[in-house]
């Protein structure tokens, strides 16, 4: 989707790589033609250099054409092999140097080889495979600066080496005038050795950190498909009382739609007046439930700015759901862009009252008119918006939870980790029965042993037991909540001991009885943080923190809502100001 153009940074880097390639080519030509060494080590070195040179060119191509995928596996193997050999070569060079075995020219060649290889490896967007391990923007900035410095040093050193190599290449004029040594080789080599060590350490670190570093540099400049716009000429009356908005009752004037066909892929993105969507009665979503969705919010801050909270995470999760339900993937960046455009169109609908926000519901459903069980060949991706009231009208409010031992929400291998409509259909009965008994949500246990805690209603769950804050590990049956992820990151930044591990109900019950259970809370986009005041479990009622809000829940709630509404600084770079 969309074309591909180079950003200024990319053009600059491409220029640097091209210059290095030219230098490398001159150096290889010089080495092969004038210093040809027919010993096994000489042949090995020549082969390695040519390989490295080819790799650099491949990497440049990969850099310029990041969507070029067929070579993915073998380029990775090639790079891995070349990089390993270059490190071994470097080590050999250091030992040989100290043993006085290598001629100065050889050591220079090795330095250049190493720098060329590592620099090439550094440019590989291939290593973005590890991307997403750290997504802290500050880390990226720092790493970007380090990269720039090291790139500068590399270029400088390579050029110096080249000049030195040419100078040393029995320059006829120098030989004639008898000035073979322009300056002390010893000084030069030790300076280069020093650089070599710095680079080796620096680049080894960079090599492994590259997934993070490359993101801001290699990220595609987005030239998205054009979204067509049809204005709603009959806008609705906006709800007058923002304190009575409730959740998911009102919808704005426009919606985003995009269509998928097997032949055309995703196409025809459009913002149109909000209204019914015509469906063939045989549309597959109506029969086999091939539907996935997401949920996020737009917040109008006190500063008047409109912010989204980690929207890219929602779109990544949407693709995770898509994958499980055989729905073709969407372009995540484009989906975020579509949400932004839609929110901007309907920005007057964003509530301004404290705690109120605009709920965003992206969803994809199968539209193929076919009543047979197979993945649909046609889909609609839609986004609708709903102004919603504050979840807590008067501050955080602890809830009563019923431990569900009869029904299960999901099992490993099933759909639990996705936001598939089917999961919510299967949860309704338990929720209805718990509500009839006076509870607000159910605590879901694992579907096999009914032993381990999974989620609470449509939220993830955390328990503070002694000095440990535990949240069930994501093992396939639990939805990876974006609020859960954010809570974990914030708590760790605050130096809490947060663990993601299987948590047995009996451990929580025992902790509640012994007083080790300090507090418990759910986490999700709707409530942000929802303290649990009471757990009803097998006829017993356990009070948690005397039914009061815990200090951790309150602090987390204040931090997250502060970031979302722009009242607090956003050190994590989670919010995206869109207007
Ligand atoms: C089943 C389930 N678990 C957890 C969550 C919390 O996820 P998030 O924090 O991304 O809203 C949700 C809400 O979307 C949910 O439906």
């Amino acid at each position: 989707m969309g074309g591909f153009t180079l950003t200024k940074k990319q053009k600059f880097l491409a220029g640097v790589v091209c210059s290095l390639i030219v230098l490398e080519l001159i150096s290889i030509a010089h080495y092969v033609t004038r210093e040809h060494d027919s010993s096994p080590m000489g042949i090995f070195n020549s082969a390695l250099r040519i390989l490295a040179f080819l790799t650099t060119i491949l990497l440049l191509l990969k850099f310029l054409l990041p969507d070029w995928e067929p070579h993915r596996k073998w380029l990775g193997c090639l790079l891995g092999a070349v990089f390993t050999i270059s490190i071994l070569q470097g080590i050999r060079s250091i030992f040989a140097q100290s043993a006085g075995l290598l001629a100065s020219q050889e050591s220079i060649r090795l330095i250049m080889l190493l720098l060329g290889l590592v620099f090439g490896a550094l440019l590989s967007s291939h290593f973005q495979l590890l991307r997403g391990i750290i997504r802290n923007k500050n880390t990226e900035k720092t790493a970007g600066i380090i990269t720039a410095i090291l790139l500068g040093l590399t270029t400088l050193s390579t050029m110096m080496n080249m000049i030195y190599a040419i100078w040393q290449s029995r320059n006829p004029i120098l030989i004639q005038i008898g000035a073979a040594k322009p300056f002390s080789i010893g000084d030069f080599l030790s300076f280069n050795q020093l650089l070599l060590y710095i680079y080796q350490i620096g680049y080894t670190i960079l090599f492994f950190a590259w997934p993070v570093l490359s993101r801001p540099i290699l990220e595609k400049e987005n030239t998205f498909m054009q979204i067509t716009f049809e204005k709603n000429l009959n806008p609705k009356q906006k709800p007058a009382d923002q304190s009575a908005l409730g959740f998911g009752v009102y919808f704005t004037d426009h919606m985003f739609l995009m269509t998928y066909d097997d032949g055309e892929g995703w196409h025809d993105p459009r913002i149109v007046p909000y209204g019914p969507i015509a469906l063939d009665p045989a549309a597959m979503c109506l029969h086999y439930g091939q539907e996935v969705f997401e949920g996020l919010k737009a917040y109008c801050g006190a500063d008047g700015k409109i912010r989204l909270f980690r929207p890219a995470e929602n779109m990544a999760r949407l693709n995770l759901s898509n994958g499980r339900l055989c729905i073709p993937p969407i372009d995540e960046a484009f989906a975020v862009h579509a949400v932004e455009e839609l929110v901007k169109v309907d920005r007057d609908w964003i509530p301004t009252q404290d705690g109120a926000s605009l709920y965003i519901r992206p969803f994809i459903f199968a539209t193929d008119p076919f009543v047979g069980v197979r993945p649909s060949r046609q889909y609609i991706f839609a986004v609708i918006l709903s102004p919603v009231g504050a979840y807590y009208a008067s501050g955080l409010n602890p809830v009563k939870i019923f431990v569900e031992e009869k029904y299960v929400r999901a099992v490993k291998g099933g759909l639990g980790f996705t936001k598939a409509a089917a999961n919510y259909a299967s949860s309704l009965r338990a929720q209805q029965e718990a509500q009839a008994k006076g509870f607000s949500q159910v605590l879901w246990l694992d579907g096999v042993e009914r032993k381990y805690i999974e989620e609470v209603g449509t939220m993830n769950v955390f328990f503070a037991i002694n000095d440990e804050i535990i949240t069930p590990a994501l093992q396939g049956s639990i939805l990876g909540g974006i609020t859960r992820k954010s809570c974990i990151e914030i708590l760790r930044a605050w130096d809490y001991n947060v663990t993601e591990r299987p948590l047995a109900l009996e451990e929580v019950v025992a902790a509640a009885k012994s007083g080790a259970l300090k507090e418990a809370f759910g986490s999700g986009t709707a409530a942000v943080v929802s303290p649990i005041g009471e757990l009803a479990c097998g006829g017993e009622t356990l009070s948690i923190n005397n039914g009061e809000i815990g200090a951790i829940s309150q602090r987390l709630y204040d931090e997250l809502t502060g970031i979302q509404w722009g009242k607090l600084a956003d050190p994590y770079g989670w919010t995206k100001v869109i207007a």
Side-chain angles (χ1 to χ4, degrees), residues 101-287:
L101 296 177
L102 285 179
S104 58
Q105 275 294 337
E106 167 126 2
S107 72
I108 289 166
R109 278 201 297 274
L110 288 176
I111 293 166
M112 291 181 64
L113 171 75
L114 190 78
L115 294 181
L117 291 181
V118 179
F119 185 73
L122 190 70
L123 281 172
S124 167
S125 62
H126 187 79
F127 291 95
Q128 289 187 82
L129 284 179
L130 298 170
R131 225 165 107 156
I133 295 173
I134 311 165
R135 285 187 183 239
N136 185 322
K137 282 199 173 160
N138 292 333
T139 321
E140 284 176 4
K141 260 188 217 152
T142 319
I145 294 167
I146 299 171
T147 314
I149 294 171
L150 286 171
L151 286 182
L153 284 175
T154 310
T155 315
L156 187 73
S157 155
T158 309
M159 286 171 71
M160 281 179 67
N161 276 311
M162 279 307 305
I163 293 165
Y164 176 67
I166 293 166
W167 190 281
Q168 283 286 91
S169 62
R170 292 174 205 89
N171 183 320
I173 303 166
L174 284 177
I175 288 168
Q176 255 178 21
I177 59 173
K181 285 185 187 175
F183 48 81
S184 154
I185 290 177
D187 289 348
F188 181 75
L189 281 180
S190 61
F191 169 66
N192 267 286
Q193 280 307 122
L194 188 66
L195 278 184
L196 173 66
Y197 297 142
I198 295 171
Y199 296 149
Q200 271 182 331
I201 295 166
Y203 275 123
T204 308
I205 294 168
L206 280 174
F207 184 76
F208 292 105
W210 181 237
V212 182
L213 315 186
S214 60
R215 216 149 60 95
I217 297 165
L218 291 183
E219 216 149 66
K220 271 204 255 177
E221 190 177 274
N222 289 317
T223 50
F224 293 128
M225 270 196 292
Q226 193 65 34
I227 301 174
T228 58
F229 176 51
E230 184 191 336
K231 194 173 165 60
N232 189 339
L233 300 175
N234 296 302
K236 288 174 269 197
Q237 189 76 37
K238 295 184 184 63
D241 183 3
Q242 290 193 1
S243 57
L245 284 172
F247 184 86
V249 181
Y250 302 99
F251 297 96
T252 66
D253 288 324
H254 297 89
M255 62 184 178
F256 169 84
L257 296 177
M258 181 158 70
T259 318
Y260 179 91
D261 284 295
D262 250 4
E264 273 189 275
W266 286 110
H267 63 277
D268 194 15
R270 54 206 186 270
I271 292 175
V272 293
Y274 182 94
I277 297 172
L279 271 187
D280 192 296
M284 293 182 78
C285 63
L286 302 176
H287 303 273

Side-chain angles (χ1 to χ4, degrees), residues 293-295 314 317 359 409 416 418-419 423-424 444 455-460 478-485 523-526 528:
F293 68 97
E294 266 307 320
N314 287 90
R317 189 170 66 185
Y359 185 75
R409 192 189 85 92
T418 70
K419 251 178 117 66
N423 284 331
Y424 298 80
W444 296 108
E455 300 195 52
V456 58
T458 53
M459 288 184 285
N460 296 110
I478 297 174
L479 186 82
I482 290 144
T483 324
R484 171 190 184 275
K485 190 173 179 182
S523 71
T525 297
V528 185

Side-chain angles (χ1 to χ4, degrees), residues 10-187:
Q10 286 172 321
K11 281 181 192 157
F12 169 74
L13 277 184
V16 175
V17 186
C18 286
S19 322
L20 276 185
I21 286 178
V22 172
L23 291 179
E24 188 84 7
L25 196 59
I26 298 170
S27 149
I28 288 179
H30 169 257
Y31 177 65
V32 173
T33 56
R34 301 182 67 177
E35 295 209 19
H36 186 63
D37 176 358
S38 55
S39 73
M41 184 48 77
I43 292 168
F44 177 66
N45 277 342
S46 304
L48 203 63
R49 280 196 76 168
I50 290 165
L51 191 62
F53 178 67
L54 292 176
T55 310
T56 314
I57 292 191
L58 281 175
L59 287 170
L60 180 70
L61 281 178
K62 172 66 188 164
F63 174 65
L64 296 172
L65 307 166
D67 290 335
W68 183 45
E69 292 295 337
H71 63 288
R72 209 174 168 80
K73 273 190 192 138
W74 61 260
L75 180 58
C77 295
L78 184 71
L79 265 174
V82 169
F83 186 71
T84 312
I85 295 171
S86 75
I87 286 187
L88 292 177
Q89 281 274 38
I91 294 169
R92 192 189 69 99
S93 137
I94 292 164
F95 279 111
Q97 189 87 48
S98 56
L101 296 177
L102 285 179
S104 58
Q105 275 294 337
E106 167 126 2
S107 72
I108 289 166
R109 278 201 297 274
L110 288 176
I111 293 166
M112 291 181 64
L113 171 75
L114 190 78
L115 294 181
L117 291 181
V118 179
F119 185 73
L122 190 70
L123 281 172
S124 167
S125 62
H126 187 79
F127 291 95
Q128 289 187 82
L129 284 179
L130 298 170
R131 225 165 107 156
I133 295 173
I134 311 165
R135 285 187 183 239
N136 185 322
K137 282 199 173 160
N138 292 333
T139 321
E140 284 176 4
K141 260 188 217 152
T142 319
I145 294 167
I146 299 171
T147 314
I149 294 171
L150 286 171
L151 286 182
L153 284 175
T154 310
T155 315
L156 187 73
S157 155
T158 309
M159 286 171 71
M160 281 179 67
N161 276 311
M162 279 307 305
I163 293 165
Y164 176 67
I166 293 166
W167 190 281
Q168 283 286 91
S169 62
R170 292 174 205 89
N171 183 320
I173 303 166
L174 284 177
I175 288 168
Q176 255 178 21
I177 59 173
K181 285 185 187 175
F183 48 81
S184 154
I185 290 177
D187 289 348

